Short mmCIF file of all heavy atoms in Angstrom, two decimals:
data_model
loop_
_atom_site.label_atom_id
_atom_site.label_comp_id
_atom_site.label_asym_id
_atom_site.label_seq_id
_atom_site.Cartn_x
_atom_site.Cartn_y
_atom_site.Cartn_z
N LEU A 1 -47.39 11.40 14.09
CA LEU A 1 -45.98 11.51 14.45
C LEU A 1 -45.24 10.20 14.19
O LEU A 1 -44.07 10.20 13.80
CB LEU A 1 -45.86 11.91 15.92
CG LEU A 1 -44.49 12.42 16.37
CD1 LEU A 1 -44.11 13.70 15.63
CD2 LEU A 1 -44.50 12.68 17.88
N ALA A 2 -45.91 9.06 14.40
CA ALA A 2 -45.27 7.76 14.14
C ALA A 2 -44.92 7.61 12.66
O ALA A 2 -43.82 7.18 12.31
CB ALA A 2 -46.19 6.62 14.59
N SER A 3 -45.87 7.98 11.79
CA SER A 3 -45.55 7.95 10.35
C SER A 3 -44.49 8.99 10.01
O SER A 3 -43.58 8.73 9.20
CB SER A 3 -46.82 8.19 9.54
OG SER A 3 -47.70 7.10 9.62
N GLY A 4 -44.58 10.16 10.63
CA GLY A 4 -43.59 11.19 10.40
C GLY A 4 -42.21 10.80 10.86
O GLY A 4 -41.19 11.25 10.29
N ALA A 5 -42.12 9.95 11.89
CA ALA A 5 -40.82 9.48 12.35
C ALA A 5 -40.10 8.70 11.26
O ALA A 5 -38.88 8.81 11.10
CB ALA A 5 -41.00 8.61 13.59
N VAL A 6 -40.85 7.91 10.50
CA VAL A 6 -40.24 7.15 9.41
C VAL A 6 -39.80 8.10 8.30
O VAL A 6 -38.74 7.91 7.69
CB VAL A 6 -41.19 6.06 8.89
CG1 VAL A 6 -40.48 5.18 7.88
CG2 VAL A 6 -41.73 5.22 10.05
N VAL A 7 -40.60 9.12 8.03
CA VAL A 7 -40.19 10.15 7.06
C VAL A 7 -38.90 10.82 7.52
O VAL A 7 -37.97 11.02 6.73
CB VAL A 7 -41.31 11.20 6.89
CG1 VAL A 7 -40.83 12.40 6.08
CG2 VAL A 7 -42.54 10.57 6.24
N THR A 8 -38.82 11.16 8.80
CA THR A 8 -37.61 11.76 9.37
C THR A 8 -36.40 10.85 9.17
O THR A 8 -35.32 11.30 8.79
CB THR A 8 -37.81 12.05 10.87
OG1 THR A 8 -38.87 12.99 11.03
CG2 THR A 8 -36.55 12.59 11.51
N ALA A 9 -36.59 9.57 9.43
CA ALA A 9 -35.49 8.61 9.29
C ALA A 9 -35.08 8.45 7.83
O ALA A 9 -33.88 8.37 7.52
CB ALA A 9 -35.91 7.26 9.87
N ILE A 10 -36.06 8.37 6.93
CA ILE A 10 -35.74 8.27 5.50
C ILE A 10 -34.91 9.48 5.07
O ILE A 10 -33.89 9.34 4.39
CB ILE A 10 -37.03 8.17 4.66
CG1 ILE A 10 -37.73 6.83 4.89
CG2 ILE A 10 -36.74 8.41 3.19
CD1 ILE A 10 -37.03 5.64 4.27
N ASP A 11 -35.33 10.67 5.47
CA ASP A 11 -34.58 11.88 5.10
C ASP A 11 -33.15 11.80 5.63
O ASP A 11 -32.19 12.10 4.90
CB ASP A 11 -35.26 13.12 5.68
CG ASP A 11 -36.54 13.49 4.94
OD1 ASP A 11 -36.74 13.01 3.81
OD2 ASP A 11 -37.35 14.27 5.51
N ALA A 12 -32.99 11.41 6.88
CA ALA A 12 -31.66 11.38 7.49
C ALA A 12 -30.75 10.38 6.79
O ALA A 12 -29.56 10.64 6.58
CB ALA A 12 -31.77 11.04 8.98
N VAL A 13 -31.30 9.24 6.40
CA VAL A 13 -30.50 8.23 5.71
C VAL A 13 -30.18 8.67 4.28
O VAL A 13 -29.04 8.54 3.82
CB VAL A 13 -31.25 6.87 5.72
CG1 VAL A 13 -30.61 5.90 4.73
CG2 VAL A 13 -31.24 6.28 7.12
N MET A 14 -31.18 9.20 3.58
CA MET A 14 -30.94 9.60 2.20
C MET A 14 -30.00 10.80 2.11
O MET A 14 -29.25 10.94 1.15
CB MET A 14 -32.27 9.92 1.51
CG MET A 14 -33.24 8.74 1.42
SD MET A 14 -32.51 7.24 0.73
CE MET A 14 -32.05 7.79 -0.91
N TRP A 15 -30.03 11.69 3.09
CA TRP A 15 -29.12 12.82 3.13
C TRP A 15 -27.76 12.45 3.72
O TRP A 15 -26.89 13.32 3.85
CB TRP A 15 -29.73 13.97 3.93
CG TRP A 15 -30.92 14.62 3.29
CD1 TRP A 15 -31.19 14.70 1.95
CD2 TRP A 15 -32.01 15.27 3.95
NE1 TRP A 15 -32.38 15.36 1.74
CE2 TRP A 15 -32.91 15.73 2.95
CE3 TRP A 15 -32.32 15.51 5.30
CZ2 TRP A 15 -34.08 16.41 3.26
CZ3 TRP A 15 -33.49 16.19 5.60
CH2 TRP A 15 -34.36 16.64 4.59
N LYS A 16 -27.63 11.16 4.11
CA LYS A 16 -26.38 10.63 4.67
C LYS A 16 -25.99 11.31 5.98
O LYS A 16 -24.80 11.40 6.33
CB LYS A 16 -25.23 10.72 3.65
CG LYS A 16 -25.52 9.96 2.36
CD LYS A 16 -24.32 9.88 1.44
CE LYS A 16 -24.66 9.22 0.11
NZ LYS A 16 -25.21 7.86 0.27
N ASN A 17 -26.99 11.79 6.71
CA ASN A 17 -26.72 12.29 8.06
C ASN A 17 -26.48 11.15 9.04
O ASN A 17 -25.83 11.34 10.07
CB ASN A 17 -27.90 13.14 8.54
CG ASN A 17 -28.07 14.41 7.72
OD1 ASN A 17 -27.11 14.92 7.15
ND2 ASN A 17 -29.29 14.92 7.66
N VAL A 18 -27.04 9.99 8.73
CA VAL A 18 -26.79 8.77 9.50
C VAL A 18 -26.63 7.63 8.50
O VAL A 18 -27.00 7.75 7.32
CB VAL A 18 -27.94 8.46 10.49
CG1 VAL A 18 -28.06 9.55 11.55
CG2 VAL A 18 -29.25 8.26 9.76
N ASP A 19 -26.09 6.51 8.97
CA ASP A 19 -25.89 5.36 8.08
C ASP A 19 -27.11 4.44 8.05
O ASP A 19 -27.36 3.75 7.07
CB ASP A 19 -24.66 4.56 8.53
CG ASP A 19 -23.40 5.41 8.49
OD1 ASP A 19 -23.12 5.99 7.42
OD2 ASP A 19 -22.70 5.51 9.51
N ALA A 20 -27.84 4.42 9.15
CA ALA A 20 -29.07 3.63 9.27
C ALA A 20 -29.86 4.27 10.41
O ALA A 20 -29.34 5.11 11.15
CB ALA A 20 -28.77 2.17 9.56
N ALA A 21 -31.13 3.87 10.55
CA ALA A 21 -31.95 4.47 11.60
C ALA A 21 -32.96 3.47 12.12
O ALA A 21 -33.44 2.60 11.39
CB ALA A 21 -32.67 5.71 11.08
N PHE A 22 -33.28 3.62 13.41
CA PHE A 22 -34.32 2.83 14.06
C PHE A 22 -35.38 3.78 14.58
O PHE A 22 -35.07 4.74 15.28
CB PHE A 22 -33.75 1.99 15.21
CG PHE A 22 -34.78 1.13 15.90
CD1 PHE A 22 -35.08 -0.12 15.41
CD2 PHE A 22 -35.44 1.58 17.04
CE1 PHE A 22 -36.04 -0.92 16.03
CE2 PHE A 22 -36.40 0.80 17.67
CZ PHE A 22 -36.70 -0.46 17.16
N CYS A 23 -36.63 3.48 14.27
CA CYS A 23 -37.75 4.32 14.70
C CYS A 23 -38.51 3.61 15.81
O CYS A 23 -39.18 2.60 15.58
CB CYS A 23 -38.69 4.59 13.52
SG CYS A 23 -37.91 5.37 12.09
N ALA A 24 -38.38 4.14 17.03
CA ALA A 24 -39.07 3.56 18.19
C ALA A 24 -40.42 4.25 18.31
O ALA A 24 -40.58 5.25 18.99
CB ALA A 24 -38.25 3.76 19.45
N VAL A 25 -41.41 3.71 17.59
CA VAL A 25 -42.70 4.38 17.46
C VAL A 25 -43.84 3.52 17.98
O VAL A 25 -43.73 2.30 18.09
CB VAL A 25 -42.99 4.74 15.99
CG1 VAL A 25 -41.88 5.62 15.42
CG2 VAL A 25 -43.15 3.48 15.13
N ARG A 26 -44.91 4.17 18.29
CA ARG A 26 -46.21 3.57 18.49
C ARG A 26 -47.24 4.69 18.30
O ARG A 26 -46.94 5.84 18.61
CB ARG A 26 -46.36 2.85 19.84
CG ARG A 26 -46.03 3.68 21.06
CD ARG A 26 -46.13 2.86 22.31
NE ARG A 26 -47.46 2.30 22.52
CZ ARG A 26 -48.47 2.96 23.07
NH1 ARG A 26 -48.33 4.22 23.43
NH2 ARG A 26 -49.63 2.38 23.24
N PRO A 27 -48.41 4.37 17.75
CA PRO A 27 -48.89 3.04 17.39
C PRO A 27 -48.10 2.43 16.23
O PRO A 27 -47.55 3.16 15.40
CB PRO A 27 -50.35 3.28 16.98
CG PRO A 27 -50.38 4.71 16.54
CD PRO A 27 -49.40 5.42 17.42
N PRO A 28 -48.05 1.08 16.21
CA PRO A 28 -47.39 0.40 15.08
C PRO A 28 -48.22 0.56 13.81
O PRO A 28 -49.26 1.23 13.81
CB PRO A 28 -47.33 -1.05 15.56
CG PRO A 28 -48.49 -1.18 16.49
CD PRO A 28 -48.63 0.16 17.16
N GLY A 29 -47.78 -0.11 12.71
CA GLY A 29 -48.43 0.23 11.45
C GLY A 29 -48.73 -0.86 10.45
O GLY A 29 -49.58 -0.66 9.58
N HIS A 30 -48.07 -2.03 10.50
CA HIS A 30 -48.10 -2.88 9.30
C HIS A 30 -49.43 -3.58 9.04
O HIS A 30 -49.61 -4.15 7.96
CB HIS A 30 -46.93 -3.87 9.31
CG HIS A 30 -47.08 -5.00 10.29
ND1 HIS A 30 -46.52 -6.23 10.05
CD2 HIS A 30 -47.71 -5.10 11.49
CE1 HIS A 30 -46.78 -7.04 11.05
NE2 HIS A 30 -47.50 -6.37 11.95
N HIS A 31 -50.36 -3.56 9.99
CA HIS A 31 -51.69 -4.12 9.73
C HIS A 31 -52.66 -3.09 9.13
O HIS A 31 -53.73 -3.47 8.63
CB HIS A 31 -52.31 -4.68 11.00
CG HIS A 31 -51.62 -5.89 11.53
ND1 HIS A 31 -51.36 -7.00 10.76
CD2 HIS A 31 -51.10 -6.16 12.77
CE1 HIS A 31 -50.73 -7.91 11.48
NE2 HIS A 31 -50.56 -7.42 12.70
N ALA A 32 -52.33 -1.82 9.19
CA ALA A 32 -53.24 -0.78 8.69
C ALA A 32 -53.30 -0.83 7.17
O ALA A 32 -52.28 -0.70 6.48
CB ALA A 32 -52.77 0.60 9.15
N GLU A 33 -54.50 -1.03 6.63
CA GLU A 33 -54.68 -1.07 5.19
C GLU A 33 -54.98 0.33 4.67
O GLU A 33 -55.05 1.31 5.43
CB GLU A 33 -55.79 -2.05 4.84
CG GLU A 33 -55.44 -3.47 5.27
CD GLU A 33 -56.41 -4.52 4.73
OE1 GLU A 33 -57.50 -4.14 4.24
OE2 GLU A 33 -56.07 -5.72 4.81
N ARG A 34 -55.15 0.44 3.39
CA ARG A 34 -55.35 1.76 2.78
C ARG A 34 -56.55 2.48 3.39
O ARG A 34 -56.50 3.71 3.61
CB ARG A 34 -55.55 1.60 1.27
CG ARG A 34 -55.73 2.92 0.53
CD ARG A 34 -55.82 2.69 -0.97
NE ARG A 34 -54.59 2.14 -1.48
CZ ARG A 34 -53.51 2.85 -1.79
NH1 ARG A 34 -53.51 4.15 -1.59
NH2 ARG A 34 -52.42 2.28 -2.27
N ASP A 35 -57.59 1.73 3.72
CA ASP A 35 -58.83 2.37 4.14
C ASP A 35 -59.32 1.96 5.52
O ASP A 35 -60.46 2.21 5.89
CB ASP A 35 -59.93 2.08 3.12
CG ASP A 35 -60.14 0.59 2.89
OD1 ASP A 35 -59.39 -0.23 3.48
OD2 ASP A 35 -61.05 0.23 2.12
N ARG A 36 -58.47 1.32 6.33
CA ARG A 36 -58.93 0.94 7.67
C ARG A 36 -57.76 0.63 8.60
O ARG A 36 -56.68 0.21 8.17
CB ARG A 36 -59.86 -0.26 7.61
CG ARG A 36 -59.21 -1.54 7.14
CD ARG A 36 -60.15 -2.71 7.36
NE ARG A 36 -59.62 -3.96 6.83
CZ ARG A 36 -60.04 -5.16 7.22
NH1 ARG A 36 -61.00 -5.27 8.11
NH2 ARG A 36 -59.52 -6.25 6.69
N ALA A 37 -58.03 0.88 9.90
CA ALA A 37 -57.11 0.50 10.96
C ALA A 37 -57.44 -0.92 11.42
O ALA A 37 -58.59 -1.34 11.38
CB ALA A 37 -57.22 1.47 12.13
N MET A 38 -56.42 -1.63 11.87
CA MET A 38 -56.65 -2.94 12.45
C MET A 38 -55.36 -3.42 13.12
O MET A 38 -54.28 -2.89 12.87
CB MET A 38 -57.12 -3.96 11.38
CG MET A 38 -56.13 -4.26 10.28
SD MET A 38 -56.77 -5.49 9.08
CE MET A 38 -56.77 -6.99 10.06
N GLY A 39 -55.51 -4.42 14.00
CA GLY A 39 -54.35 -5.06 14.60
C GLY A 39 -53.43 -4.12 15.36
O GLY A 39 -52.20 -4.23 15.23
N PHE A 40 -53.99 -3.21 16.13
CA PHE A 40 -53.27 -2.21 16.93
C PHE A 40 -52.74 -1.06 16.09
O PHE A 40 -52.10 -0.14 16.63
CB PHE A 40 -52.08 -2.82 17.71
CG PHE A 40 -52.35 -4.07 18.49
CD1 PHE A 40 -51.29 -4.88 18.89
CD2 PHE A 40 -53.64 -4.44 18.85
CE1 PHE A 40 -51.51 -6.04 19.64
CE2 PHE A 40 -53.87 -5.59 19.60
CZ PHE A 40 -52.79 -6.40 19.99
N CYS A 41 -52.92 -1.09 14.77
CA CYS A 41 -52.27 -0.15 13.85
C CYS A 41 -53.26 0.89 13.32
O CYS A 41 -54.36 0.54 12.90
CB CYS A 41 -51.65 -0.91 12.68
SG CYS A 41 -50.45 -2.18 13.18
N LEU A 42 -52.85 2.15 13.30
CA LEU A 42 -53.71 3.24 12.83
C LEU A 42 -53.34 3.67 11.42
O LEU A 42 -54.17 3.65 10.52
CB LEU A 42 -53.63 4.42 13.80
CG LEU A 42 -53.96 4.09 15.26
CD1 LEU A 42 -53.99 5.37 16.10
CD2 LEU A 42 -55.28 3.34 15.40
N PHE A 43 -52.10 4.09 11.21
CA PHE A 43 -51.58 4.38 9.88
C PHE A 43 -50.41 3.43 9.59
O PHE A 43 -49.72 2.98 10.51
CB PHE A 43 -51.07 5.82 9.77
CG PHE A 43 -52.13 6.87 9.96
CD1 PHE A 43 -51.85 8.02 10.69
CD2 PHE A 43 -53.38 6.74 9.40
CE1 PHE A 43 -52.82 9.00 10.87
CE2 PHE A 43 -54.36 7.71 9.58
CZ PHE A 43 -54.07 8.85 10.31
N ASN A 44 -50.18 3.15 8.31
CA ASN A 44 -49.11 2.23 7.95
C ASN A 44 -47.79 2.99 7.83
O ASN A 44 -47.47 3.56 6.79
CB ASN A 44 -49.45 1.51 6.64
CG ASN A 44 -48.58 0.27 6.45
OD1 ASN A 44 -47.36 0.36 6.46
ND2 ASN A 44 -49.22 -0.87 6.27
#
């Protein structure tokens, strides 16, 4: 759902339903590499 939230936001921005979007998600993501979780992050 956290990754899907960013997909939802991208769609809303690209369809111009909103001007910008903030995704209040967890688990966070930027430490997750292609093949492993780390640093509190499951998916990127």
Side-chain angles (χ1 to χ4, degrees):
L1 196 62
S3 290
V6 187
V7 170
T8 298
I10 291 288
D11 287 342
V13 166
M14 298 309 299
W15 292 332
K16 301 188 184 303
N17 295 333
V18 296
D19 300 307
F22 181 86
C23 303
V25 303
R26 54 183 300 277
H30 74 150
H31 292 308
E33 298 190 346
R34 182 176 297 278
D35 56 357
R36 66 170 175 160
M38 64 180 290
F40 312 161
C41 303
L42 305 186
F43 297 139
N44 196 304

